[in-house]
Amino acid sequence: MPDSRDVSPRRRVPKTKVTIPARPRDLVDRPRLRELLDGVRDAAVVFVGAPAGYGKTVLLADWAARRRGPVAWVSADAEDDDDRLFWSAVLDALGGCVPAVASSRRLAVPRRPGTDLGFLARVADALDSAPEPVVLVLDSAQEVTADRTWRGLRALVRHHPAGLRLVVSSRREPPLPLVRARLADRLVEVGAADLRFSAAEAAAFLETSGAAIPPDQIGPLVARTGGWVAGLRLAVASAERHGSLREFFAGRDPAVLDYLTDEVLAPLSAAQRTLLRAISICDDVPAGLAAALSGLPDAESMLRELGEPATRAVRSDGTPPHHRPAPLLRTYLRAELCRRTPDRARALHAAAARWFAEHDRPTPALLHSVRSGNTIRVGELLRRHAVTLFLTGDHDVLRLALGALGDRPVSADPLLALVSAALCLEAGETSAAGLRLARAEAAWPDDPPAELIVLRQVAYSRLAQLDLGPVRALRAAERVDEELAAGTSLAGLAAVHRAGILVARHEGGAARARLVRVLGDAEERHHDFTVTQCLTTLGNLACYDGDYRVMDTLARRVVARRPALDQRRSLEGAQVCALLAYGALLRGEPAECVEHAKRIGRLLGDAPARAARDLRLIAETLHGAAEFELGGWHAGLRRMRRARTHLGTGRARPAEQAALCAVLEHRAALRLGAAGQARETVRWAQPMLTGSGELLLMRARTQLRLGRQGAASSVLRSLVDDEAPMCLPWVSIEASLVGVQAALSAGAQERAVRLLDQALRAAEPGVVRFPFVFASGEVVGFLTSRLGRLGAGERFAGEVLALRRRLRTPPMPAPLTDRERSVLRLLPTQRSIDEIAQDLTVSPNTVKTHVRGIYAKLDVRSRRDAVAIALQRGLLDTDVTDFTG
């Protein structure tokens, strides 16, 4: 029995202190974190540790509310330094879960509970008497600073009663025996890295909060906030105040600055705040730079102490660890520095430029020189490093530096003029590039170094490739002197251009071997631009060879290597997206194809280059084909026709490009019954595809559509017998499936089986699902009936059918006949039936029959509704009123 003089009643505790907080309305379900917390059943302690604003309390409240077992909750505050109050709160919280703790008579609080071993033993015994272990959540534990309060908890954790699972959330590590629990594998930890919102979680949060933030800004927002929950909430509030995120991103929202000042900067010392303001001019702070900027000799140790959300320690492969100021805090500190003390900001940039130049880091040295306003240093760095920076892919910094230097100094220096021309070419700005090349010629020295000569040759080769057609591009590429380039840093890029000659001559094997050698060397030198040029060219070669799996892999390697590739105008990025869009369509993923195709348009902008026009044609065709397969039949077909008529005329196209556009548009037009558009497509493609297998395929399709199965089969046999070359390797799979449909219509079961097996064998290596997933109902039904008898093609067939079920595309409407389309075009004119008959030189009864057919196929009952539906589906769009030719 305790001495009655040492025992006092429990202190009164506010009910809110021991109640699980209500979950907010904008709560985002985070099952991955709940799964981590569920490990509490095997652990003595769970520690949720992160700075302010990471959502610790919300996470624990959501988890506690969902948990089936008993949970006791204590929200800590500064008054808990009084250990009697703290233990009164703990016992009140536990009392709702453990009957033995509920009565204050049975378990009173002594005057010094943290050191009263008898009291602690009675608490442990009471917990062990519970039917199942109790989770005790101690939230905001950083508020408790008195050791006497922690002493009792430490003793309880050391003895780890079987009936207790302790969960502690704090902004810093609590004074508990966590090291011992960690070594014994009895500690579950959830840190700031775990609590950061992913892009998907951020999107869910923004949708729940009702913020009017465009989807394309979610990625930059997550990057700017680092997934910090408080940062996302600040962004939502800023968007509501200003109508957009412009002020938030620019670091000009006073409310955000106030929050950062109060929650992040206020707890820091004056020296720490000075350090953060000094390094805010840098995105990354390598070891040694912080001291150079701040003048503080112990800057490195101070950065290590700061931690999140002020800075993060980052370790990159092959580089020493460095620090990275939190993007949001850095933005606001930098904006405040430039606004209040612009001279100090320029001086810091100048110091950073000197430090980076001394440590052979030309990219940040050039960037900070620009920001310091020192154009003399900018010019010196450009003349020394411009070619290297071009090869490493640091094009944004080069553009910024050349712009800061000014047009006259750039034009007067042939090296800088050539680099500027090369940058224009990569953006598809061929006219501007030509002007800069002319300026380089005007300033050309009498005895130019080899690097300058090769750079000029490469620039002219690239200009010809983008704007002058294949013949002149071939000649220009032949003029790139590889022997001269061998002793320069441009050797790899020159070799890529020479490989283009082999590609144009259809010598893919030799080109591939050359590019693989260049790729290895460029990777060793970290010449990322040359690397991506190699990968993109190799991807195009794989596309020509029909190795679509490799094509997609290489394109994804480019994106992984240069994730910011699609954030600026770039022909290179557009070409990579075209490969990704093509691969997605062939895999039977039309929605993904549409997304990649849209990015191509953004990357090209209004670039005038001939190559940009070619890429736009490909992008719009792929977009239209994917849109068609997603159920937007009329819109997709209209998009393909518009692309062909607006972008595909005026000159002959490369055979592969013409074949892709024609095969996809012709296929869709026939399926929708637009026979006139199908004929128009064939007429467009015929001069460019003479003697090709694609023309024979389109002829066979047309015959099959007309019900002439024998003629279709005959055309397909001639395709095989005459060995007509295919521009697109996957089209042979499409031809086999057209043959399957013709054989089924003719009752030739064995031929259908043979052709289906042939198509499956050809499709599986490249994952070409498109012709199967969007095949006719007869072919899909036949494929389904053959399951279990397909041998090696069984797995691939299962994938195809599963994908078809997942896509759930709506059934295609019955197509309008050519005559019905002619009548439909005249319905909006308010002409009478007799007048329409007169215009079409048919009888009124014939017109009435066509009108009834139109009403039935459009599922309407009046002329007005027919016109409305036709407009909605694009059947009366001015661009397609001549579908019937």
Side-chain angles (χ1 to χ4, degrees):
M1 291 286 293
D3 189 332
S4 60
R5 290 171 299 176
D6 292 332
V7 177
S8 61
R10 294 182 193 172
R11 298 278 299 274
R12 292 193 63 183
V13 176
K15 190 174 182 180
T16 54
K17 185 178 177 67
V18 293
T19 302
I20 298 174
R23 291 174 286 182
R25 286 178 297 178
D26 56 5
L27 174 73
V28 174
D29 186 22
R30 309 185 76 183
R32 63 183 177 89
L33 295 184
R34 291 206 314 275
E35 187 176 342
L36 279 175
L37 293 172
D38 284 338
V40 68
R41 62 174 64 91
D42 303 316
V45 180
V46 174
F47 173 47
V48 181
Y54 272 86
K56 301 182 295 295
T57 300
V58 171
L59 170 67
L60 288 175
D62 180 46
W63 172 72
R66 293 172 183 262
R67 196 171 187 277
R68 292 182 180 178
V71 177
W73 184 285
V74 176
S75 298
D77 53 46
E79 293 184 2
D80 288 314
D81 284 344
D82 178 349
D83 58 344
R84 286 174 58 207
L85 177 62
F86 172 78
W87 281 102
S88 295
V90 169
L91 295 179
D92 275 9
L94 290 172
C97 307
V98 184
V101 179
S103 171
S104 59
R105 294 181 181 178
R106 295 180 61 185
L107 198 56
V109 178
R111 291 180 181 175
R112 300 181 183 84
T115 57
D116 192 321
L117 297 181
F119 165 72
L120 296 173
R122 290 192 295 278
V123 173
D125 289 344
L127 289 168
D128 286 338
S129 70
E132 57 180 314
V134 178
V135 171
L136 173 60
V137 178
L138 178 59
D139 189 37
S140 301
Q142 75 279 348
E143 299 292 336
V144 182
T145 58
D147 185 63
R148 60 177 177 269
T149 300
W150 286 108
R151 195 178 304 164
L153 270 180
R154 282 198 296 271
L156 206 59
V157 170
R158 274 197 303 271
H159 294 296
H160 49 80
L164 177 66
R165 303 289 184 269
L166 181 62
V167 178
V168 179
S169 96
S170 176
R171 296 182 185 178
R172 53 182 174 269
E173 191 164 304
L176 292 171
L178 299 185
V179 174
R180 181 183 302 177
R182 193 177 287 121
L183 291 174
D185 199 24
R186 291 176 56 81
L187 175 68
V188 173
E189 294 182 89
V190 180
D194 302 304
L195 289 164
R196 288 192 194 96
F197 270 26
S198 65
E201 289 170 334
F205 168 75
L206 295 173
E207 183 178 356
T208 306
S209 65
I213 294 176
D216 61 343
Q217 290 190 0
I218 293 176
L221 179 58
V222 173
R224 183 65 58 89
T225 60
W228 184 34
V229 183
L232 293 171
R233 291 188 185 280
L234 291 169
V236 169
S238 180
E240 289 176 350
R241 284 192 298 272
H242 302 289
S244 72
L245 288 175
R246 184 178 300 173
E247 299 298 305
F248 179 83
F249 281 144
R252 293 194 296 259
D253 191 320
V256 178
L257 180 61
D258 289 345
Y259 180 89
L260 295 172
T261 301
D262 293 344
E263 293 295 331
V264 180
L265 298 177
L268 306 180
S269 67
Q272 289 173 322
R273 291 195 293 271
T274 298
L275 173 62
L276 283 175
R277 289 190 176 95
I279 67 172
S280 70
I281 64 160
C282 298
D283 296 341
D284 285 293
V285 185
L289 177 58
L293 292 177
S294 65
L296 299 169
D298 59 343
E300 293 298 321
S301 59
M302 290 172 64
L303 282 176
R304 286 192 292 272
E305 291 172 5
L306 277 172
E308 298 196 53
T311 65
R312 290 175 59 193
V314 180
R315 184 182 294 273
S316 302
D317 293 340
T319 62
H322 58 280
H323 286 85
R324 181 172 296 163
L328 186 60
L329 181 64
R330 181 185 68 224
T331 298
Y332 276 82
L333 288 179
R334 183 186 296 174
E336 192 73 357
L337 183 70
C338 293
R339 186 164 52 247
R340 290 178 178 271
T341 54
D343 291 341
R344 169 69 174 155
R346 284 191 290 271
L348 286 169
H349 281 298
R354 287 192 298 273
W355 190 92
F356 280 115
E358 290 167 3
H359 289 79
D360 197 26
R361 300 279 298 278
T363 303
L366 189 56
L367 180 64
H368 287 289
S369 294
V370 170
R371 290 174 175 169
S372 72
N374 188 338
T375 55
I376 294 175
R377 181 181 289 272
V378 169
E380 292 172 352
L381 289 169
L382 278 173
R383 293 179 188 94
R384 196 180 313 154
H385 300 291
V387 173
T388 300
L389 294 179
F390 181 76
L391 294 173
T392 56
D394 293 304
H395 294 180
D396 287 343
V397 174
L398 276 176
R399 288 188 179 93
L400 186 68
L402 290 167
L405 198 59
D407 193 55
R408 183 173 295 177
V410 171
S411 300
D413 188 312
L415 173 66
L416 300 187
L418 286 174
V419 170
S420 179
L423 291 171
C424 290
L425 289 171
E426 292 318 306
E429 298 166 353
T430 49
S431 299
L435 178 62
R436 284 161 175 76
L437 283 170
R439 290 174 177 173
E441 296 286 7
W444 199 252
D446 294 332
D447 186 21
E451 188 171 66
L452 197 62
I453 296 172
V454 175
L455 183 59
R456 178 171 68 172
Q457 292 172 347
V458 168
Y460 277 113
S461 172
R462 183 65 169 158
L463 177 62
Q465 178 189 354
L466 297 181
D467 218 31
L468 300 180
V471 175
R472 294 174 68 181
L474 192 62
R475 292 172 185 165
E478 287 176 330
R479 287 195 288 270
V480 178
D481 190 337
E482 281 193 274
E483 290 186 11
L484 183 64
T488 73
S489 60
L490 289 161
L493 195 58
V496 173
H497 282 266
R498 292 285 291 181
I501 300 175
L502 300 176
V503 174
R505 291 174 177 166
H506 299 284
E507 299 174 20
R512 185 176 290 103
R514 177 187 292 262
L515 287 166
V516 168
R517 288 196 299 273
V518 173
L519 177 61
D521 182 65
E523 286 180 326
E524 286 183 11
R525 294 169 178 263
H526 302 289
H527 287 178
D528 277 9
F529 177 69
T530 306
V531 168
T532 55
Q533 291 281 301
C534 285
L535 291 173
T536 304
T537 307
L538 285 167
N540 283 322
L541 279 172
C543 177
Y544 297 151
D545 292 344
D547 198 343
Y548 302 113
R549 192 192 298 265
V550 170
M551 175 193 77
D552 192 70
T553 300
L554 291 168
R556 292 182 188 279
R557 278 182 64 184
V558 174
V559 173
R561 192 173 190 95
R562 299 184 69 184
L565 193 64
D566 65 349
Q567 294 179 10
R568 59 180 177 274
R569 181 185 291 180
S570 162
L571 284 178
E572 177 192 8
Q575 198 168 11
V576 170
C577 284
L579 293 176
L580 291 171
Y582 192 22
L585 184 70
L586 293 181
R587 285 197 313 276
E589 301 283 356
E592 184 182 336
C593 175
V594 168
E595 291 306 312
H596 289 307
K598 287 178 179 177
R599 276 201 289 274
I600 296 172
R602 293 197 293 269
L603 287 164
L604 292 175
D606 56 355
R610 175 175 179 160
R613 184 182 176 91
D614 291 347
L615 282 169
R616 287 191 192 96
L617 173 60
I618 292 295
E620 286 297 286
T621 299
L622 291 172
H623 188 168
E627 191 174 16
F628 183 92
E629 302 302 351
L630 287 168
W633 307 289
H634 299 291
L637 192 58
R638 184 169 67 250
R639 185 182 295 276
M640 285 188 277
R641 183 179 188 276
R642 191 165 52 234
R644 174 173 49 79
T645 55
H646 291 179
L647 299 169
T649 57
R651 62 180 175 87
R653 327 297 305 176
E656 292 84 4
Q657 189 181 111
L660 178 65
C661 296
V663 166
L664 291 176
E665 185 181 356
H666 183 268
R667 181 181 190 274
L670 282 185
R671 290 180 65 198
L672 202 57
Q677 185 171 348
R679 289 193 298 271
E680 186 183 306
T681 303
V682 173
R683 285 197 299 270
W684 172 80
Q686 195 152 10
M688 297 172 279
L689 299 180
T690 302
S692 72
E694 281 78 8
L695 276 180
L696 290 176
L697 169 64
M698 289 188 281
R699 189 187 304 168
R701 277 183 186 153
T702 302
Q703 295 297 328
L704 188 60
R705 185 71 182 182
L706 294 172
R708 302 168 183 167
Q709 293 84 7
S713 297
S714 176
V715 172
L716 291 171
R717 277 195 297 273
S718 69
L719 189 157
V720 175
D721 295 342
D722 297 342
E723 296 183 348
M726 289 286 192
C727 301
L728 308 174
W730 69 269
V731 170
S732 63
I733 302 166
E734 175 81 0
S736 294
L737 293 183
V738 172
V740 169
Q741 188 171 355
L744 291 173
S745 300
Q749 184 84 4
E750 290 184 6
R751 187 166 80 244
V753 169
R754 177 170 48 80
L755 289 170
L756 180 63
D757 290 343
Q758 178 181 305
L760 288 169
R761 284 195 304 273
E764 186 169 16
V767 200
V768 182
R769 304 191 192 107
F770 171 75
F772 296 89
V773 173
F774 303 110
S776 66
E778 299 95 322
V779 171
V780 172
F782 184 60
L783 176 64
T784 305
S785 71
R786 293 286 301 162
L787 288 176
R789 293 174 289 171
L790 292 171
E794 193 75 35
R795 183 182 62 82
F796 184 74
E799 290 177 3
V800 164
L801 294 173
L803 180 57
R804 184 178 170 92
R805 287 192 298 271
R806 178 166 63 81
L807 288 171
R808 296 182 184 175
T809 54
M812 185 172 292
L816 298 177
T817 65
D818 284 354
R819 184 58 73 182
E820 285 171 343
R821 287 173 178 273
S822 299
V823 172
L824 176 63
R825 285 210 304 266
L826 295 174
L827 292 184
T829 64
Q830 298 300 313
R831 285 181 172 88
S832 68
I833 294 295
D834 290 341
E835 289 170 330
I836 292 175
Q838 192 172 19
D839 284 350
L840 298 177
T841 64
V842 296
S843 71
N845 285 336
T846 300
V847 173
K848 290 177 183 177
T849 300
H850 291 322
V851 169
R852 285 196 295 271
I854 292 169
Y855 287 3
K857 291 176 180 179
L858 298 184
D859 193 23
V860 296
R861 296 184 178 181
S862 68
R863 176 185 275 201
R864 176 180 295 178
D865 290 344
V867 171
I869 292 295
L871 286 169
Q872 181 183 335
R873 293 185 182 178
L875 296 174
L876 288 176
D877 187 274
T878 54
D879 284 336
V880 292
T881 53
D882 57 345
F883 260 3
T884 59

